[in-house]
Amino acid sequence: MAETHGYDVSIEWTGNLGTGTDGYRTFSRSHEILAEGKAPIAASADPAFRGDRSRWNPEELLVATVAQCHMLWYLHLCANAGITVIDYEDDAHGVMTMDEHGGGGQLTEVTLRPRVTVTDPATIDEANALHSKIHEVCFIARSVNFPIHHQPEAHVL
């Protein structure tokens, strides 16, 4: 039997402003993402959909999840390849495309822009190339139905 892992999270709506959802504009989209033993994540809808700009929205969290999983697998692959990474940053960008009828939308692509610092100049080409192998193993990249582009930049400190 295949090995499985479960992930339990809770969502708690905190946006009842006193009258619940008695009108589209009378409630806040604020909520918290909770998991046992972890600090809550303050979340809301995208500001374009009446959300609170100061809170994380689901679209941002999905883009962050793609970038996070990519980074974790990248560091793993570098360690296995003998590439010493001493710094990793990524300015990820996701694009959501609304459907023509205005009823919904979907993320249609994510671009990762990892900037990696390695200790050995001889490993820069391999360090950049490893990004293209992550889609084969990254749990999140294998789970989404949109393309994930990579614009890596490795350099030596």
Side-chain angles (χ1 to χ4, degrees):
M1 176 175 246
E3 180 180 1
T4 62
H5 298 270
Y7 302 94
D8 299 311
V9 298
S10 299
I11 304 297
E12 184 176 300
W13 179 48
T14 58
N16 184 345
L17 302 177
T19 59
T21 59
D22 68 349
Y24 182 73
R25 300 182 188 281
T26 63
F27 64 95
S28 167
R29 277 56 176 174
S30 296
H31 58 280
E32 290 187 342
I33 302 168
L34 308 163
E36 187 175 335
K38 295 180 175 26
I41 298 173
S44 186
D46 182 312
F49 308 108
R50 304 198 48 78
D52 181 343
R53 184 175 304 281
S54 70
R55 291 175 169 247
W56 288 90
N57 65 58
E59 297 82 6
E60 290 170 324
L61 289 169
L62 181 54
V63 172
T65 299
V66 168
Q68 184 180 5
C69 191
H70 182 92
M71 177 195 68
L72 293 169
W73 271 105
Y74 178 78
L75 296 173
H76 172 88
L77 294 177
C78 283
N80 285 351
I83 299 170
T84 302
V85 175
I86 57 171
D87 192 40
Y88 184 107
E89 297 178 358
D90 188 351
D91 294 320
H93 175 72
V95 175
M96 183 169 68
T97 303
M98 302 304 292
D99 73 20
E100 297 170 3
H101 309 294
Q106 67 187 58
L107 281 179
T108 52
E109 67 179 300
V110 168
T111 300
L112 304 177
R113 299 181 188 105
R115 291 179 311 285
V116 179
T117 305
V118 297
T119 58
D120 182 356
T123 64
I124 288 178
D125 289 341
E126 186 178 3
N128 282 328
L130 282 177
H131 289 282
S132 65
K133 296 182 181 199
I134 294 172
H135 192 81
E136 299 168 15
V137 291
C138 174
F139 310 138
I140 304 303
R142 292 173 53 132
S143 299
V144 298
N145 66 352
F146 51 80
I148 300 171
H149 309 289
H150 311 108
Q151 297 173 353
E153 178 185 313
H155 63 274
V156 177
L157 184 63

